[in-house]
């Protein structure tokens, strides 16, 4: 404040134990409670506890002479409390500074008044620049207020009459002819000419308590009129112009936040606009924890057009109260959830604690119990596959690319190398063949290869804190991408001379041309990511030294870049090479030649890459030997077919016994027949027939039986622990290691997996790091656990669908070339292939829980979800609230009694049915 203010000091421990009678009296006075009566506050009440650390007895004496919302000056109060005008003015300024009352200059005089606990005093006290940090009891009391008092309000207020009220995002109700002016944010803004912006009081509370949800508090809440004057004067907010108010609201909407207003001003007016999230807001907790949506809802609810919906999931992810989930659209022989109907609600049911949802910040559901589209479910990144297929069908390729990149920054890469679990799960495969999802994605993503059409996302924030990513493979690059979107200063350290990790060095160019990788990495550069190549962390610089340079967190994603040994006699002979090292050397431009016969040992996709690479560097013949049968070998069928097209012979069911050598050089390999690879529990337990052996001549042997992690000295000096297989021990949800600022992802955590797994882990790592480096944020609260469930395909009614041939891109085997011989779909092929999509999934709305904020409608690219006006409730002033609430309470009691009678009758009649 510009004026001199009262300096408050913490009360003594003795005072806290025994209580302070004057402060308790003040709390009861503000709450209009008669001391000693039922409902009066005691020393454990949050209303008392929030005042106790900072309000002096003298301040209490002055405030108790005032009535709620009575505007007074020091001259008015002085005769009431027997103090001088100067003393009263100083004490009133102290109360205003603390947040117990407003102060405005009216007719040239400082004028003071106090308001309700919430919205009002508790927010104002929490928004004090220093007090809540100095006295966390203030934040704890604010949090406790809604948790303790909120339970008793369930079902009590009619729609529109709660303490706070959701105001729809204005564009979501643009087409609604029945909308009222009080439902338009612009109306409230245009009524005022002074504005301020402050920290969010709810997120301040969460941060102080260490329970933040990742949505940060800064520059979130707008004050208008008298509230803005007060916030500016007391240092709680900064003055902003009207244009910035609209910009703050626009940015909040883009980032998935909703709007609420204090709802007790009356006459369709308000003095503030909050930009809220369901995972942090203490007002929205009323709807989520107590399922008392009527206390905060707007007059609107969301409604899904199932014909238009493609289950992209954007509505689900952005709904602040988990009122939207994904379900199925296809007909089924068994019941499926098409609408969430609540038999019991607070409107007509005694709302006891067993009906609450106290774990709402951790038990959010993405999918109804009967499941949703299998493709989105099985994709490790849960990409909106059905959504981008529909956008591609409409020719909206940039929007399709944008939708993919919400989960996967490297669609052009994945369009060429993904193991396509989405296609394996595709419902279309139960009719004829799965949709060529990867080929559709590849067509869409090829825009990223053209600089003029490349999609570079807008930064959502500008947090600026330095974060180090160690390893420039798919996990590290994904983490860097998502951190960069949030405005972090990301530096990626890579020991090789080029970023990309296994994408650049571990996969041959005929499967993944390196210009594709470079093009998608260039997007990261445009987002501000810095790459330091040729730097091996642990050797050239340590994590401790990076901390000294200011890095606030570390994401370790070094990948499984080393080959595994056979553990047999002779494998150290000249001519025996690690397959992954061999491919890396070729990708680095080394002029290797393997003249003669080459044996590749291994049966996975990497082994096929190794074999096909060998055919391009002078091999006279290439054979692959693996333990598994043709049906069991882990390589994908299409890659096996491509190998055969290049005359690579695959010998199934053979395991190496020893490498045959002469004068230190390989001359062959002795194999024995493998009878079975897996035991009854399907665990790897090969059984051999030692009587069936053979020696196969070879000039070169390339080992491709798996990959391992080479940590070097990276983890030295840290508390990070490794498992026996060399992977890092970390929390399976947050990826945090034993050293709190070090997170891990990709193969370094899981062992060798696929690029899409690493990409998905990278995004989750970025979410954890964002929460870790920001003060007071929990790594788990309010976080989407990405739990998906596929629909029951066995119960689907698919007989009515005609067979449609799967489109095939042109392919021409070129065993002498490192160029990718696989063509991309033509646009005509793309259109035909998108027509094959059955559209398995659709969103399902819980209309009772929906608070009508409109977030879902702004995120939907298909016009499939809209707000419809279901109620006609208008807010009332504080002084008129009782005469509106009491009749509603009486009606509710009658509803409860009638419902109980009806149920008792039904229960009595049930045995005779």
């Amino acid at each position: 404040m510009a004026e001199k203010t009262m300096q408050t000091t913490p009360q003594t421990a003795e005072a806290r134990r025994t209580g302070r009678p004057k402060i308790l009296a003040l709390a009861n006075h503000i709450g209009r409670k008669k001391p000693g009566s039922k409902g009066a506050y005691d020393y454990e009440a949050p209303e008392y506890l929030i005042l106790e650390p900072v309000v002096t007895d003298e301040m209490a004496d002055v405030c108790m002479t005032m009535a709620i919302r009575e505007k007074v000056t020091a001259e008015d109060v002085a005769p009431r409390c027997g103090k001088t005008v100067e003393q009263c003015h100083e004490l009133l300024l102290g109360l205003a500074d603390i947040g117990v009352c407003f102060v405005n200059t009216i007719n040239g005089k400082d004028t003071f008044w106090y308001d309700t606990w919430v919205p009002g005093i508790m927010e104002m006290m929490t928004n004090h620049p220093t007090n809540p940090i100095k006295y966390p009891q203030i934040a704890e009391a604010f949090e406790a207020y809604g948790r303790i008092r909120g339970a008793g309000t369930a079902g009590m207020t009619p729609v529109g009459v709660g303490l706070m009220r959701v105001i729809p995002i204005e564009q979501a109700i643009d087409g609604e002819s029945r909308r009222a002016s009080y439902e338009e944010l612009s109306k409230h803004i245009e009524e005022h000419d002074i504005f301020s912006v402050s920290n969010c009081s709810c997120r301040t509370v969460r941060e102080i308590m260490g329970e933040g949800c990742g949505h940060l508090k800064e520059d979130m809440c707008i004050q208008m009129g008298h509230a803005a004057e007060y916030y500016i004067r007391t240092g709680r907010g900064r003055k902003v112009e009207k244009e910035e108010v609209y910009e703050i609201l626009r940015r909040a909407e883009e980032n998935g936040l909703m709007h609420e207003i204090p709802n007790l001003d009356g006459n369709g007016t308000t003095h503030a606009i909050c930009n809220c999230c369901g995972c942090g807001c203490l007002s929205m907790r009323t709807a989520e924890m107590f399922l008392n949506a009527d206390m905060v809802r707007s007059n609107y609810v969301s409604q899904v057009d199932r014909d238009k919906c493609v289950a992209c999931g954007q509505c689900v992810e952005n709904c602040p109260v988990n009122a939207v989930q994904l379900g199925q659209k296809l007909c089924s022989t068994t019941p499926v959830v098409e609408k969430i109907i609540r038999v019991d609600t607070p409107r007509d049911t005694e709302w006891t604690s067993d009906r609450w949802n106290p774990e709402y910040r951790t038990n959010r559901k993405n999918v109804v119990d009967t499941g949703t589209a299998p493709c989105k479910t099985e994709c490790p990144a849960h990409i909106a596959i059905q959504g981008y297929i529909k956008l591609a069908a409409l020719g909206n390729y940039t929007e399709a690319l944008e939708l993919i990149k919400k989960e996967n920054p490297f669609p052009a890469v994945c369009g060429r190398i993904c193991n396509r679990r989405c296609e394996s799960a595709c419902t279309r495969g139960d009719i004829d063949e799965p949709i060529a999802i990867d080929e559709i994605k590849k067509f869409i993503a090829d825009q990223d290869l053209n600089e003029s059409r490349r999609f570079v996302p807008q930064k959502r924030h500008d947090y600026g804190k330095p974060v180090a990513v160690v390893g420039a493979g798919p996990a590290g690059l994904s983490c860097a991408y998502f951190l960069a979107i949030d405005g972090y200063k990301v530096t990626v350290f890579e020991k090789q001379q080029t970023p990309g990790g296994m994408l650049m060095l571990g996969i041959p160019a005929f499967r993944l041309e390196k210009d594709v990788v470079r093009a998608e990495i260039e997007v990261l550069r445009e987002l501000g990511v810095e790459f330091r190549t040729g730097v091996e962390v642990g050797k050239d610089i340590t994590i401790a030294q990076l901390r000294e340079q200011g890095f606030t967190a570390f994401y370790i994603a070094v990948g499984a870049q080393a080959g595994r040994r056979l553990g047999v006699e002779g494998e150290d002979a000249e001519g025996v090479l690690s397959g992954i090292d061999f491919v890396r050397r070729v990708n680095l431009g080394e002029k290797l030649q393997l003249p003669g016969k080459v044996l590749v040992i291994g049966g996975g996709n990497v082994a096929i890459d190794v074999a096909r690479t060998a055919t391009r560097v002078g091999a006279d013949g290439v054979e692959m030997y693996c333990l598994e049968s043709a049906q069991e070998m882990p390589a994908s069928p299409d890659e096996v077919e491509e190998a055969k097209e290049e005359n690579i012979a695959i010998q199934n069911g053979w395991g190496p016994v020893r490498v045959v050598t002469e004068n230190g050089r390989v001359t062959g390999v002795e194999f024995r027949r493998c009878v079975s690879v897996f035991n009854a529990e399907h665990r790897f337990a090969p059984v051999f027939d030692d009587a069936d052996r053979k020696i196969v001549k070879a000039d070169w042997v390339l080992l491709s039986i798996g990959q391992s992690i080479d940590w070097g000295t990276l983890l030295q000096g840290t508390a990070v622990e490794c498992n026996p297989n060399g992977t890092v021990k970390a929390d399976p949800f947050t990826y945090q290691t034993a050293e709190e600022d070090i997170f891990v992802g990709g193969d370094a955590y899981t062992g060798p997996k696929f690029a899409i797994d690493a990409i998905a882990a990278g995004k989750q790592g970025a979410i954890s790091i964002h929460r870790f480096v920001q003060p007071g944020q929990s790594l788990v609260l309010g976080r989407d656990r990405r739990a998906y469930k596929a629909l029951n395909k066995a119960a689907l009614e698919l007989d009515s669908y005609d067979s449609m041939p799967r489109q095939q891109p042109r392919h021409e085997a070129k065993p002498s070339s490192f160029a990718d011989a696989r063509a991309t779909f033509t646009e005509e092929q793309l259109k035909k292939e998108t027509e094959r999509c059955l559209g398995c999934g659709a969103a399902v709305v819980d209309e009772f829980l929906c608070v009508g904020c409109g977030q879902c409608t702004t995120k939907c690219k298909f016009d499939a979800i809209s707000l419809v006006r279901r109620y006609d409730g208008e807010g009332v002033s504080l002084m008129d609230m009782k005469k509106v609430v009491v009749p509603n309470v009486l009606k509710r009691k009658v509803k409860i009694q009638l419902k109980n009678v009806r149920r008792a009758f039904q229960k009595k009649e049930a045995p005779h049915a």
Side-chain angles (χ1 to χ4, degrees):
M1 293 179 69
E3 313 87 335
K4 179 182 176 184
T5 60
M6 293 288 294
Q7 295 297 312
T8 59
T9 56
Q11 307 303 317
T12 64
E14 178 63 25
R16 291 190 182 206
R17 270 196 303 274
T18 59
R20 300 175 58 206
K22 283 195 175 182
I23 304 306
L24 181 60
L26 175 60
N28 278 300
H29 176 75
I30 292 171
R32 292 174 288 173
K33 305 290 184 182
K34 186 177 180 181
S37 66
K38 183 180 179 181
Y41 306 142
D42 58 22
Y43 290 121
E44 300 300 318
E47 295 88 346
Y48 166 79
L49 292 171
I50 200 168
L51 301 175
E52 187 267 340
V54 288
V55 176
T56 67
D57 287 358
E58 283 186 305
M59 290 178 183
D61 289 337
V62 171
C63 196
M64 287 183 64
T65 69
M66 301 163 61
I68 189 166
R69 292 191 174 178
E70 177 195 15
K71 291 183 169 65
V72 298
T73 65
E75 287 83 358
D76 297 325
V77 171
R80 301 179 188 177
C81 60
K83 299 181 187 295
T84 67
V85 171
E86 291 74 17
Q87 288 174 325
C88 288
H89 188 252
E90 186 176 6
L91 290 165
L92 285 166
L93 286 175
L95 286 165
D97 176 61
I98 288 168
V100 175
C101 66
F102 283 105
V103 58
N104 276 190
T105 302
I106 301 176
N107 297 324
K109 289 188 175 183
D110 283 347
T111 304
F112 304 86
W113 70 98
Y114 70 83
D115 213 314
T116 54
W117 287 114
V118 172
I121 292 171
M122 291 197 172
E123 287 92 341
M124 289 156 61
M125 291 186 69
T126 303
N127 277 135
H128 189 281
T130 59
N131 279 348
I133 299 169
K134 192 174 183 181
Y135 309 115
Q137 180 177 322
I138 292 171
E140 293 162 359
F142 184 15
E143 185 279 330
Y145 175 84
R147 182 165 38 82
I148 294 170
R149 307 296 177 216
T153 66
M156 299 300 182
T157 60
V159 172
V161 189
L163 306 180
M164 298 287 290
R165 182 194 184 111
V166 171
I167 295 293
I169 294 172
E170 201 154 323
Q171 75 179 74
I173 58 171
D174 276 347
E176 175 56 68
S177 60
R178 295 182 300 138
R179 71 180 187 273
S181 61
Y182 61 80
E183 296 170 323
E184 300 172 356
L185 280 181
S186 58
K187 174 261 185 188
H188 296 294
I189 295 168
E190 295 302 325
E191 286 179 341
H192 297 281
D193 56 10
I194 180 172
F195 307 91
S196 64
V197 62
S198 72
N199 291 345
C200 169
S201 56
C202 297
R203 290 182 201 132
T204 298
V205 165
R206 299 292 197 186
E207 178 183 307
I208 289 170
M209 296 181 69
E211 297 179 356
C213 60
H215 293 108
L216 304 188
K217 66 181 185 296
E218 285 76 16
D219 280 4
M220 274 293 128
C221 293
I222 305 293
Q223 297 80 37
M224 303 176 288
H226 74 266
E229 180 182 334
Y230 167 76
Y231 264 65
I232 294 165
R233 180 170 176 175
T234 59
R236 284 166 166 77
R238 63 178 177 86
K239 185 176 182 179
V240 292
E241 299 302 321
K242 188 180 294 184
E243 293 74 21
E244 187 174 354
V245 170
Y246 282 111
E247 175 59 23
I248 290 167
L249 297 177
R250 182 195 62 77
R251 192 166 62 245
E253 291 168 6
E254 285 184 354
N255 290 333
L257 303 179
M258 54 177 288
H259 309 305
E260 281 189 280
I261 61 170
N263 196 38
L264 299 179
D265 289 9
N267 300 318
T269 63
T270 192
H271 59 272
I273 302 170
C274 301
N275 294 310
C276 306
C277 62
C279 40
C281 177
L282 299 177
S283 170
M284 293 309 301
R285 176 173 60 180
T286 305
E288 297 174 275
M289 179 173 172
F290 301 117
L291 278 71
N292 188 18
D294 288 349
M295 174 67 89
V296 294
R297 71 164 76 250
S298 75
N299 285 326
Y300 297 83
V301 296
S302 294
Q303 197 169 71
V304 174
D305 184 332
R306 289 173 61 83
D307 291 335
K308 293 181 179 179
C309 182
V310 295
C312 70
Q314 289 301 295
C315 56
V316 175
E317 293 178 26
N318 285 280
C319 177
V321 294
N322 199 197
V324 192
Q325 298 175 33
L326 291 179
Q328 80 178 61
K329 190 187 297 187
L330 298 180
C331 295
S332 175
T333 59
T334 57
V336 298
V337 178
E338 294 185 0
K339 191 173 184 180
I340 300 172
I341 300 174
R342 294 184 180 272
V343 176
D344 295 324
T345 74
R347 293 172 179 171
D348 60 2
T349 308
E350 290 288 357
W351 213 243
T352 49
S353 60
D354 58 310
R355 299 181 183 276
W356 304 349
N357 181 18
E359 305 302 321
Y360 73 95
R361 301 181 80 198
T362 57
N363 65 8
R364 185 180 178 96
K365 285 181 66 177
N366 290 325
V367 180
V368 299
D369 292 340
T370 49
T372 190
C375 55
K376 184 176 178 71
T377 300
E378 295 305 319
C379 172
H382 304 298
I383 298 169
I385 294 166
Q386 195 178 323
Y388 75 70
I389 287 175
K390 181 64 174 179
L391 288 168
L394 297 171
N396 299 337
Y397 304 128
T398 299
E399 286 188 330
L401 185 58
E402 179 184 0
L403 187 58
I404 295 169
K405 284 196 166 189
K406 288 184 182 296
E407 306 296 341
N408 179 2
F410 310 110
V413 166
C414 286
R416 290 158 170 81
I417 64 167
C418 191
N419 66 321
R420 299 177 294 190
R421 275 167 272 183
C422 55
E423 293 188 20
S424 298
C426 178
T427 307
R428 184 86 214 185
D430 290 7
I431 299 172
D432 37 51
E433 291 184 89
I435 297 167
I437 296 170
D438 240 28
E439 295 297 340
I440 294 171
K441 178 169 63 201
K442 181 180 174 183
F443 179 96
I444 296 166
D446 273 6
Q447 290 186 94
D448 253 11
L449 309 185
N450 185 322
E451 190 173 346
S452 65
R453 299 199 309 264
R454 183 175 294 155
F455 174 75
V456 180
Q458 294 292 314
K459 289 189 178 184
R460 300 189 307 165
H461 305 285
D462 189 19
Y463 294 137
K465 294 188 177 186
V467 176
V469 173
V470 182
L477 292 173
S478 175
C479 182
Y481 174 89
F482 288 108
L483 286 171
I485 289 174
D486 271 345
Y488 286 99
K489 187 179 179 182
V490 185
T491 303
V492 180
F493 295 87
E494 169 57 52
K495 73 176 181 179
Q496 301 293 341
Q497 294 300 321
T498 183
M502 296 295 282
L503 303 178
M504 285 294 288
L505 302 178
I507 300 173
F510 53 78
R511 284 194 60 224
L512 179 59
E513 291 183 323
K514 304 314 164 189
D515 284 347
V516 173
V517 184
R518 293 188 191 99
E520 296 204 304
I521 290 175
E522 190 58 34
V523 174
L524 274 71
R525 297 187 195 275
E526 292 190 38
L527 287 169
V529 175
E530 178 187 352
F531 291 92
R532 295 188 194 174
T533 56
V535 177
E536 184 175 349
V537 178
K539 177 182 177 183
D540 301 316
I541 191 168
T542 65
I543 287 177
Q545 289 170 328
L546 290 173
R547 282 197 192 100
E548 291 173 2
Q549 292 180 14
F551 287 96
T552 56
F554 302 86
Y555 187 68
I556 307 298
V558 295
Q561 70 278 43
R564 289 192 181 277
R565 294 172 60 84
L566 284 171
V568 300
E569 175 190 341
E571 71 175 311
D572 293 324
E574 184 181 352
V576 179
L577 306 174
S578 159
I580 198 68
D581 288 342
F582 162 67
V583 173
R584 181 182 297 113
R585 290 166 65 186
V586 171
N587 279 329
L588 285 170
E590 192 172 332
K591 301 299 182 183
L592 283 177
Q593 287 294 305
L594 302 185
K597 184 176 181 180
V598 176
L599 296 186
V600 176
I601 298 177
N605 289 332
V606 175
I608 287 184
D609 286 346
V610 170
R612 294 181 66 196
T613 300
T615 66
R616 289 159 169 80
V617 292
D620 295 332
V622 179
E623 283 189 89
M624 291 178 62
Y625 281 79
C626 64
L627 296 173
E628 300 88 355
S629 67
Q631 294 73 34
E632 294 172 322
M633 65 184 294
S636 60
D638 58 337
E639 294 208 35
V640 171
E641 189 59 35
E642 288 173 358
K644 290 179 177 178
E645 287 176 5
E646 297 183 1
N647 299 315
I648 295 169
I650 300 176
Q651 308 294 340
N652 298 98
W654 293 97
V657 177
R658 65 186 177 99
V659 176
V660 181
T661 64
E662 185 176 319
N663 298 323
R665 180 165 181 87
V666 61
T667 59
V669 177
E670 182 179 359
F671 293 95
R672 58 179 171 171
R673 172 66 70 183
C674 182
V675 178
S676 65
V677 178
F678 302 103
N679 62 18
E681 290 79 34
H682 206 71
R683 292 181 179 175
F684 183 74
V687 176
F688 297 97
D689 179 359
D690 280 319
D692 189 357
R693 296 191 177 210
K694 66 178 180 180
I695 294 176
V696 181
K697 292 182 178 181
D699 299 293
W700 302 88
V701 175
L702 303 179
L703 306 180
S704 188
I705 58 167
Q707 294 153 243
S708 62
I709 304 165
D710 179 10
W711 287 108
T713 57
L714 171 59
L715 301 179
Q716 286 185 10
T718 74
V720 177
E721 302 173 34
C722 287
N723 295 301
N725 67 351
T727 58
V728 165
K729 293 181 179 180
D731 183 278
F733 181 44
T734 68
Y735 296 108
Q736 188 177 38
T737 69
E739 188 134 340
E740 65 173 9
D741 63 348
I742 298 179
F743 297 79
V744 68
D747 293 355
Y749 172 72
T750 62
K753 293 189 83 171
F754 297 93
I756 189 61
D757 297 283
I759 289 166
K763 180 176 182 180
Q764 294 305 308
I767 293 170
S768 290
I769 288 171
H770 160 66
R771 287 166 170 254
F772 173 78
V773 302
Q774 298 294 344
Q777 305 305 304
S778 162
L779 295 188
V780 297
L781 293 176
R783 184 165 174 176
D784 188 347
R785 292 184 174 266
R786 312 288 281 170
Y788 287 83
K789 177 183 178 181
L791 52 77
N792 179 11
K793 289 203 288 183
L796 293 178
E797 297 179 353
L798 302 175
D799 293 342
S800 62
Y801 292 94
D802 294 331
S803 180
M804 296 174 67
R806 174 176 166 130
Q807 297 297 303
Q808 300 292 339
R810 180 177 51 80
H811 172 74
E812 182 181 349
K814 296 179 180 178
S816 61
S817 172
F818 277 95
D820 190 345
R822 301 166 298 174
T824 303
F825 271 165
T826 65
E827 190 164 21
E828 181 184 0
Q829 285 183 303
L830 175 87
K831 298 295 185 184
K832 287 181 178 178
E833 191 62 20
T834 58
E835 289 173 3
R836 299 180 67 240
C837 180
L838 301 178
C840 297
V844 179
V845 176
D846 181 339
E847 290 194 6
F848 175 78
L849 192 56
C850 172
V851 295
C853 69
Q855 252 303 325
C856 55
T857 71
T858 67
K859 296 297 185 282
C860 181
K861 295 180 180 296
F862 307 93
D863 193 29
I865 191 165
S866 58
L867 289 188
V868 294
R869 205 169 202 269
R870 188 76 80 226
Y871 307 100
D872 195 25
E874 183 174 355
V876 298
S877 72
L878 173 67
M879 303 312 174
D880 294 330
M881 200 170 180
K882 187 174 181 180
K883 59 187 178 186
V884 177
V885 171
V886 170
N888 191 72
V889 171
L890 296 175
K891 288 178 183 177
R892 176 176 180 260
K893 286 184 177 179
V894 173
K895 289 178 182 177
I896 291 171
Q897 290 171 354
L898 290 174
K899 186 175 184 179
N900 289 342
V901 169
R902 185 169 61 253
R903 284 191 168 170
F905 179 77
Q906 291 170 343
K907 186 176 181 181
K908 184 179 178 181
E909 292 294 308
H912 306 292

